Amino acid sequence: MRIGLIGTGRIGSFHAGVLARHPEVASLVVTDPDAGRAAQVAALTGAIAVTSAEEVLAAGVDAVVIASATSAHAGLIGLAARAGLPAFCEKPIALDLAGTLGALREVERAGSVLQLGFMRRFDAGYAAARTAVRGGALGRLHTVRAATSDPAPPPAAYLPLSGGLFRDCLVHDFDILRWVTGREVTEVYATGSDAGPAMFREAGDVATAAALLTLDDGTLATATATRCNGAGYDVRMELAGERDQIAVGLDDRTPLTSAEPQGPSAPAKPWPGFLERFAPAYEAELDAFLRVVRGERENPCDGREALHALRVAEACELSRAERRPVRLTEITGA
């Protein structure tokens, strides 16, 4: 296959390496607004660099991978759909419901394929948790605790473009909560703190956030996130049932130190970031996309899945702003 890659930033460059190594990819065509960056990635991977997304589509590609700036996602999804090309896109589709729904309508009108990049669905730990929960190994699930902690804040210029901590970061937790449990969120109560660096206040964002989520079967879940976790990159999910409890993301690189005298000490090599922690999952989701393109499997993460997670994030933002519980029925786009 010939694959087009739009966007060669940090995650796009990683995807370029994965695609270039994949046995089903005969050639790769890349582009980026920064032509020099695209040329550098092309030189490292043996890809062909072109100057625009339109040139990528005109190069006879069989499918496209979208790893551009978030603001361009919806337009590029539409471009691929109108060309009749399957597309893989990093989350989110857009930073608002209107843009998300518009892009999804384009895909549906074209009858094309859109797979969203929620990589945690391809992580071995989360997959095992899904099997345990849905197979009844934990008994009745009553509590879920999810946490996402970045080791350092992103550049200040990124914050106004990110959509905020709930849409940019916690949206992964909202998606994986639905995927693991098979349940829907019915109500949220969320808050956030901008007590970190001043750039969060200037951007109208928060450095730390927490949400209490009620699922449709009465299970209670908490989801917390922070941009300022100096110990390292920490992504975990704990699931407790009447029979047993398990944890995802708990290993010898989890940046967590026990305060107990006989407890585990700090890890020698904590996870430094998301690419290192989820590298196998990123590779697996692209392999799945290529198999979808070849007609060998069903789409594992359709675009509508991004809509569900975004609606939860929107409910959290409304809850934070108005300091009240918000029902998901208040959020449009169901």
Side-chain angles (χ1 to χ4, degrees):
M1 288 185 287
R2 169 171 275 200
I3 304 298
L5 173 66
I6 304 171
T8 57
R10 180 166 55 163
I11 190 61
S13 297
F14 182 88
H15 287 337
V18 172
L19 292 166
R21 294 190 302 270
H22 198 283
E24 297 295 338
V25 177
S27 61
L28 183 63
V29 183
V30 303
T31 192
D32 192 276
D34 184 336
R37 186 164 66 185
Q40 184 177 31
V41 168
L44 290 171
T45 59
I48 302 164
V50 297
T51 59
S52 69
E54 289 77 9
E55 280 192 65
V56 170
L57 270 58
V61 296
D62 298 295
V64 294
V65 172
I66 299 168
S68 62
T70 296
S71 58
H73 285 185
L76 291 170
I77 289 169
L79 188 68
R82 292 189 295 275
L85 290 171
F88 172 94
C89 184
E90 282 298 332
K91 66 84 190 166
I93 292 175
L95 291 177
D96 58 20
L97 286 168
T100 299
L101 289 167
L104 289 174
R105 282 192 291 268
E106 289 238 48
V107 172
E108 288 166 3
R109 277 196 297 267
S112 57
V113 170
L114 173 63
Q115 180 181 325
L116 258 292
F118 282 113
M119 78 292 185
R120 294 188 195 181
R121 293 179 176 221
F122 297 87
D123 177 74
Y126 284 108
R130 175 184 164 104
T131 298
V133 170
R134 298 197 180 201
L138 307 186
R140 183 187 68 85
L141 189 67
H142 53 73
T143 307
V144 182
R145 293 176 287 271
T148 294
S149 303
D150 288 333
Y158 174 76
L159 293 178
L161 309 175
S162 71
L165 193 58
F166 289 104
R167 298 186 191 94
D168 180 53
C169 185
L170 275 166
V171 72
H172 278 291
D173 296 275
F174 302 150
D175 175 72
I176 205 63
L177 176 64
R178 294 180 61 249
W179 188 77
V180 167
T181 65
R183 314 306 307 190
E184 297 294 342
V185 176
T186 60
E187 184 177 86
V188 308
Y189 187 54
T191 188
S193 170
D194 62 3
M199 64 181 183
F200 291 98
R201 292 183 290 280
E202 293 163 0
D205 197 5
V206 292
T208 303
L212 173 63
L213 314 166
T214 302
L215 306 190
D216 58 12
D217 65 345
T219 300
L220 297 181
T222 59
T224 63
T226 184
R227 301 286 198 186
C228 307
N229 193 59
Y233 182 72
D234 187 10
V235 170
R236 278 177 287 130
M237 174 181 272
E238 299 170 5
L239 301 109
E242 292 181 340
R243 184 179 304 159
D244 200 0
Q245 62 179 343
I246 56 175
V248 179
L250 186 61
D251 59 24
D252 61 1
R253 299 191 67 180
T254 303
L256 188 66
T257 304
S258 174
E260 299 297 331
Q262 304 302 318
S265 58
K269 191 179 180 182
W271 293 110
F274 66 92
L275 278 178
E276 295 82 3
R277 166 65 177 85
F278 288 109
Y282 280 116
E283 294 196 26
E285 70 177 354
L286 284 181
D287 178 72
F289 175 61
L290 296 176
R291 291 174 58 198
V292 170
V293 174
R294 289 172 60 86
E296 296 174 353
R297 67 167 294 173
E298 295 295 316
N299 189 344
C301 191
D302 181 80
R304 286 275 164 188
E305 297 299 289
L307 175 61
H308 291 305
L310 178 60
R311 290 182 67 246
V312 178
E314 291 287 335
C316 286
E317 283 289 9
L318 181 59
S319 177
R320 179 176 76 91
E322 298 187 358
R323 296 180 176 274
R324 66 174 178 89
V326 172
R327 300 283 297 179
L328 264 290
T329 52
E330 298 180 51
I331 307 301
T332 60

